[in-house]
C-alpha cells in the first residue's frame, strides 16, 4: 500500500472511489479545481497495482481573500476508502498527511470538515482517533435533509 500526494492523473480514480462509497458526488471540474489550486494537501492511497483505493480531497480557506478576520484554515471536502481496504488505518494516514501539509505549507491554524450525523464510523475516526471536536450541528446540511456535524481540529502546537 502506498500513500502519496494526489496528481491530476489520479482524479478519475478518486472520483470513482467517491462514487462507489458516498452519496455526495462532485463534477470533475470540482476535483480539478482542488487539485490545481491546492496541489500539496490532497492525498491518495493506492494498492500494489497502482489503483486508487482511498483519497482525501482538501482545500484552504484564506479569509484575507474574503475580507474577514478569521484565521487561515484547511477544510476536508471529502475522504473515502474502498470497503475492502478499510480497517487498515488508511483514512487516518490520509488525514494526518493532509493536516500536516495544511499546517506546514499554508500555515493553517485549524482544519474543519462536515460529516453526516448518522456516520458513526467516520465520527469515531475524527473524534476518538484524530481529536476533532464538534463545533456545531448544521441542520439539513445534506441534499437529503440529514444534519451535519461541523467539526474542527486545531493545528497549532499547544
Amino acid at each position: 500500500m502506498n500513500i502519496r500526494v494526489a496528481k491530476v492523473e489520479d482524479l478519475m480514480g478518486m472520483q470513482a472511489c467517491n462514487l462507489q462509497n458516498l452519496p455526495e458526488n462532485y463534477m470533475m471540474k470540482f476535483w480539478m479545481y482542488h487539485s490545481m489550486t491546492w496541489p500539496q494537501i490532497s492525498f491518495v492511497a493506492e494498492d500494489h497495482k497502482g489503483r486508487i483505493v482511498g483519497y482525501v480531497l482538501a482545500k484552504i480557506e484564506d479569509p484575507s481573500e474574503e475580507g474577514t478576520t478569521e484565521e487561515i484554515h484547511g477544510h476536508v471536502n471529502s475522504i473515502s476508502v474502498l470497503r475492502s481496504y478499510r480497517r487498515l488505518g488508511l483514512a487516518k494516514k490520509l488525514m494526518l498527511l493532509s493536516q500536516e501539509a495544511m499546517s506546514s505549507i499554508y500555515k493553517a491554524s485549524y482544519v474543519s470538515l462536515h460529516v453526516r450525523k448518522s456516520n458513526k464510523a467516520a465520527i469515531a475516526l475524527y473524534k476518538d482517533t484524530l481529536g476533532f471536536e464538534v463545533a456545531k450541528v448544521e441542520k439539513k446540511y445534506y441534499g437529503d435533509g440529514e444534519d451535519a456535524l461541523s467539526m474542527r481540529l486545531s493545528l497549532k502546537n499547544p
Side-chain angles (χ1 to χ4, degrees):
M1 206 63 58
N2 182 39
I3 297 180
R4 59 173 174 73
V5 170
K7 301 180 285 197
V8 171
E9 47 270 29
D10 297 321
L11 296 180
M12 292 293 280
M14 292 167 71
Q15 186 182 44
C17 190
N18 170 265
L19 290 168
Q20 189 169 336
N21 286 334
L22 299 172
E24 291 75 47
N25 308 127
Y26 310 104
M27 294 174 57
M28 185 51 69
K29 67 181 182 180
F30 181 85
W31 297 90
M32 188 74 72
Y33 174 71
H34 282 70
S35 177
M36 302 300 276
T37 308
W38 305 282
Q40 311 97 324
I41 61 174
S42 293
F43 291 81
V44 294
E46 56 186 4
D47 68 8
H48 65 286
K49 292 183 179 177
R51 292 178 297 212
I52 304 298
V53 299
Y55 70 87
V56 60
L57 181 72
K59 67 179 181 176
I60 294 295
E61 299 280 0
D62 188 345
S64 64
E65 295 170 3
E66 300 162 19
T68 68
T69 58
E70 194 175 325
E71 300 170 289
I72 293 173
H73 65 279
H75 183 78
V76 174
N77 284 93
S78 184
I79 179 169
S80 185
V81 174
L82 295 177
R83 291 195 188 284
S84 54
Y85 291 88
R86 292 185 184 169
R87 315 276 327 142
L88 300 174
L90 294 177
K92 176 184 175 184
K93 289 175 186 162
L94 289 163
M95 287 289 290
L96 290 173
L97 285 168
S98 185
Q99 290 165 204
E100 173 58 32
M102 289 173 187
S103 177
S104 64
I105 297 166
Y106 293 98
K107 308 301 181 222
S109 59
Y110 68 92
V111 59
S112 63
L113 57 80
H114 291 95
V115 61
R116 286 179 172 269
K117 210 171 172 184
S118 63
N119 192 342
K120 303 299 182 208
I123 293 167
L125 169 71
Y126 303 140
K127 281 178 82 168
D128 304 336
T129 305
L130 296 170
F132 278 75
E133 295 179 354
V134 175
K136 62 184 171 182
V137 175
E138 297 198 25
K139 298 287 186 192
K140 299 185 191 302
Y141 179 83
Y142 292 101
D144 61 5
E146 184 172 352
D147 295 347
L149 299 181
S150 176
M151 302 184 80
R152 283 175 64 146
L153 174 71
S154 175
L155 297 176
K156 293 180 178 174
N157 293 329

